[in-house]
Amino acid sequence: MEKSPSLNVLGGVLSPCSHDPLTGYFRDGACNTCAEDHGSHTVCAMMTAEFLAYSKYVGNDLSTPRPEYGFAGLKPGDRWCLCASRFLQAHDEGCAPKVSLLSTHLRALDIVPLAVLELHAHDL
């Protein structure tokens, strides 16, 4: 798997999203991606109780620990590389979390318009 260039949605170098918990498609702490990342885990988002409940409701439980996968479960305040389509779905439903534009990969723009990301930005 070859990583896409590590660029953020603003055209700069992609900043880390989280090392604790360790996130990213490559589990490198950044929302790096590649052609094989069909979920486009490219949006660096800060978890909220509302978003975690929503994600669980729509079938992606991010809050329950899964020790068999080395996953401690997410809690409000954690930063995580979300699938771009899940973020857009949450935006459409009115419960999208805040995002870091500096840590959101440029490929997120294939799915989520920059204007939508900017509405939820916490690092402008």
Side-chain angles (χ1 to χ4, degrees):
M1 292 186 290
E2 185 176 331
K3 286 184 188 178
S4 299
S6 296
L7 299 172
N8 65 41
V9 294
L10 301 176
V13 174
L14 187 67
S15 294
C17 182
S18 175
H19 290 284
D20 185 20
L22 188 59
T23 191
Y25 183 76
F26 293 98
R27 289 298 188 263
D28 60 0
C31 297
N32 282 302
T33 191
C34 63
E36 293 81 7
D37 178 11
H38 300 293
S40 188
H41 296 79
T42 53
V43 177
C44 180
M46 185 175 296
M47 298 297 98
T48 63
E50 180 184 32
F51 175 77
L52 290 168
Y54 171 76
S55 188
K56 186 174 184 176
Y57 174 75
V58 296
N60 187 21
D61 183 359
L62 297 172
S63 54
T64 300
R66 299 290 305 266
E68 66 271 27
Y69 299 113
F71 182 68
L74 300 177
K75 60 188 180 312
D78 286 342
R79 289 167 48 124
W80 194 251
C81 294
L82 291 179
C83 292
S85 59
R86 177 69 73 207
F87 173 81
L88 185 58
Q89 181 184 23
H91 163 76
D92 290 345
E93 295 290 332
C95 60
K98 293 291 185 189
V99 300
S100 168
L101 297 179
L102 298 174
S103 302
T104 294
H105 196 281
L106 180 64
R107 289 233 357 244
L109 298 179
D110 293 347
I111 297 168
V112 183
L114 181 58
V116 170
L117 292 168
E118 289 174 335
L119 284 174
H120 302 283
H122 71 80
D123 61 358
L124 285 178

